[in-house]
Amino acid sequence: MKLNEKEVEILEILQKDARFEAADIAKMIGLAEAEVAETIRRLEEEKVIVHYATLVDWAKMDNFTGVTAMIDVKVTPKRGVGFDEVAERIYRFKEVSSVYLMSGVYDLSVTVEGKSMNEIARFVSEKLSTLESVVSTTTHFQLKKYKHDGMIYTSKQQDNRIVVSP
């Protein structure tokens, strides 16, 4: 799909902050509000805009005990389907939040979320490593988040709110 310059601008604005209203975006880029709203609707329908999300700094919650791990996975690709079949089997697990095909020593990068390190360890040993195409895994537990999806997480506070900046 080929997008024009204004459509790309709309996407860039929404990617930075999906809370912008069509009227605000229209003023920012010099289009009519109806044209912006129609463009957004079309991009959503065509799945160019896949999902709107909120970034939450869970580390600020006193009672939050969640753990995130990034797992490097080496696999044996299958003839005719390559890495797609094993990637699909992996991303269907409820514990998995993302899967990427990578260049380098490992083939897939898998992000997993759980309640504890033990829960993630059980996932790796009982589900992920037992898949037929999986040759090996290396698990890295996330200790602290500094930047995610272009947003910097800081410990500075302003008006009792976390300062999250692009």
Side-chain angles (χ1 to χ4, degrees):
M1 161 181 259
K2 185 138 173 92
L3 300 177
N4 66 41
E5 187 178 316
K6 294 295 184 182
E7 292 168 328
V8 171
E9 279 187 81
I10 291 169
L11 289 173
E12 288 171 344
I13 291 167
L14 288 174
Q15 187 173 17
K16 287 180 183 162
D17 189 344
R19 295 180 304 163
F20 276 114
E21 302 276 336
D24 297 324
I25 296 171
K27 290 175 190 170
M28 294 166 78
I29 64 173
L31 287 179
E33 180 181 348
E35 187 176 353
V36 170
E38 173 55 27
T39 299
I40 292 170
R41 186 204 59 76
R42 184 175 46 79
L43 293 171
E44 289 171 341
E45 188 175 282
E46 294 175 4
K47 299 295 184 203
V48 174
I49 297 175
V50 179
H51 180 75
Y52 297 96
T54 301
L55 295 178
V56 177
D57 190 352
W58 290 106
K60 301 298 180 191
M61 304 298 291
D62 290 337
N63 59 349
F64 180 73
T65 58
V67 177
T68 300
M70 290 147 171
I71 306 169
D72 298 325
V73 183
K74 186 175 258 189
V75 301
T76 303
K78 289 193 174 180
R79 186 179 304 274
V81 293
F83 296 100
D84 293 347
E85 185 177 287
V86 69
E88 183 177 347
R89 290 185 69 193
I90 293 170
Y91 70 61
R92 292 196 180 281
F93 288 117
K94 67 176 177 51
E95 297 89 346
V96 174
S97 60
S98 65
V99 178
Y100 299 96
L101 179 61
M102 306 296 288
S103 63
V105 176
Y106 289 91
D107 303 305
L108 299 173
S109 178
V110 178
T111 304
V112 176
E113 296 174 352
K115 293 179 183 168
S116 67
M117 292 173 76
N118 273 343
E119 185 177 288
I120 291 175
R122 275 193 309 279
F123 167 77
V124 172
S125 65
E126 296 172 8
K127 295 180 180 179
L128 184 61
S129 64
T130 61
L131 293 175
E132 184 181 327
S133 296
V134 172
V135 175
S136 66
T137 64
T138 302
T139 303
H140 310 273
F141 287 98
Q142 187 181 87
L143 303 177
K144 184 176 181 179
K145 187 183 301 187
Y146 293 100
K147 185 174 183 178
H148 181 77
D149 284 346
M151 301 303 286
I152 297 169
Y153 289 69
T154 66
S155 59
K156 296 177 188 173
Q157 294 208 356
Q158 181 178 350
D159 300 329
N160 295 326
R161 296 178 303 172
I162 296 299
V163 177
V164 181
S165 56

